[in-house]
Amino acid sequence: MNRVLLVRHSQPDIASDCCYGQLDMPAKPEQLKQATVRLQKLLAEYSVSEVCASPLLRCRQLAEGLYDSEDIEYQGSLKEVNFGQWEGSKWDDIPRHQLDAWADNLEGYRLGQTGETVAEFSQRVLGFWQTRLTTYGETNTTQVWFTHAGVIRTIVGEIQALPVVESSQIPLTFGSLTCITFTTNGAVIEYLNR
C-alpha cells in the first residue's frame, strides 16, 4: 500500500499571539525533543522510502532529528503560507480593516500586502501533491513529509472536498502525524492528528 505521512513541525519559539507563516524561527528545544521521541516510535512502524521537508528551520530540525540530512529532500512547495508584511506581527497589531478584507475575500486577498493569496498557496501545495501522486507506482512506498498546518489542512481539505473555511479549522497539534493511504478509489485519510 502506498502512503504519505504528513508531520507537523513541533512548537516554534515565538509568542502564540504572533502571525507567522514563512517567518523562519527554531522550534522550542524541549517541545522539539518531545516530538522527536514520540514520532520516532510512531514512524518506526513504517518502512520509509522517501523523506521531504519544508526548508524552514522548525521543519528541518524535526526532520533531521529523525532522519539523516543527506536523505531529506527539501521542498519549497511544503512551506507554510506567506503572510507578507504581517509576518512576526502580533495578530492584534494587524489593522482590523485588513483582517476584515481577508475575511470578505478568503481565497483572493493578498496577505500582508506582499504575501500570497490563499488561492496561490493552495495551488502551490496541491500542485506538489498532484505531482507526487503521479509518481506512485504499483509498489508499496511510504513518504514522510515534514511540513506545516496550512499545508496539511490544504491536502486533507482537498481529499475531503472541504471548502477553505472548513479545512482551515481542522485541528492539528504540533508534532502530530497524519496518514494518507492510496486505494483504487484514490486517497483516503487513514488517521489525522495522531
Side-chain angles (χ1 to χ4, degrees), residues 7-83:
V7 180
R8 186 183 183 194
H9 60 80
S10 58
Q11 187 174 358
D13 197 1
I14 191 170
S16 61
D17 61 349
C18 285
C19 171
Y20 65 92
Q22 293 191 12
L23 184 68
D24 208 7
M25 83 287 288
K28 290 186 175 182
E30 187 57 35
Q31 281 79 6
L32 176 61
K33 182 179 176 184
Q34 291 170 3
T36 303
V37 168
R38 193 176 69 75
L39 286 165
Q40 195 166 33
K41 293 174 187 170
L42 291 173
L43 293 170
E45 298 176 25
Y46 303 99
S47 177
V48 174
S49 57
E50 189 171 351
V51 180
C52 295
S54 160
L56 296 176
L57 184 56
R58 56 195 185 269
C59 287
R60 286 193 349 247
Q61 287 178 307
L62 189 53
E64 292 172 5
L66 292 159
Y67 298 96
D68 291 331
S69 59
E70 61 267 11
D71 296 332
I72 302 168
E73 178 186 339
Y74 295 98
Q75 284 287 341
S77 296
L78 292 178
K79 284 184 180 180
E80 185 60 277
V81 68
N82 183 342
F83 281 107

Side-chain angles (χ1 to χ4, degrees), residues 84-104:
Q85 294 174 11
W86 295 353
E87 295 275 1
S89 300
K90 292 189 175 200
W91 283 104
D92 288 344
D93 293 341
I94 298 171
R96 182 81 241 162
H97 72 276
Q98 292 180 16
L99 294 173
D100 289 343
W102 182 22
D104 291 341

Side-chain angles (χ1 to χ4, degrees), residues 90-161:
K90 292 189 175 200
W91 283 104
D92 288 344
D93 293 341
I94 298 171
R96 182 81 241 162
H97 72 276
Q98 292 180 16
L99 294 173
D100 289 343
W102 182 22
D104 291 341
N105 184 8
L106 192 60
E107 294 189 55
Y109 182 77
R110 185 152 309 281
L111 302 172
Q113 293 82 49
T114 58
E116 291 176 291
T117 66
V118 172
E120 289 168 343
F121 169 67
S122 296
Q123 186 176 14
R124 167 169 59 85
V125 170
L126 295 176
F128 180 74
W129 172 250
Q130 292 299 328
T131 299
R132 288 303 170 123
L133 290 187
T134 62
T135 65
Y136 273 112
E138 294 298 317
T139 60
N140 291 337
T141 60
T142 298
Q143 296 184 31
V144 180
W145 298 0
F146 292 85
T147 188
H148 307 267
V151 172
I152 298 169
R153 288 177 177 132
T154 298
I155 293 169
V156 169
E158 173 76 0
I159 293 167
Q160 295 184 330

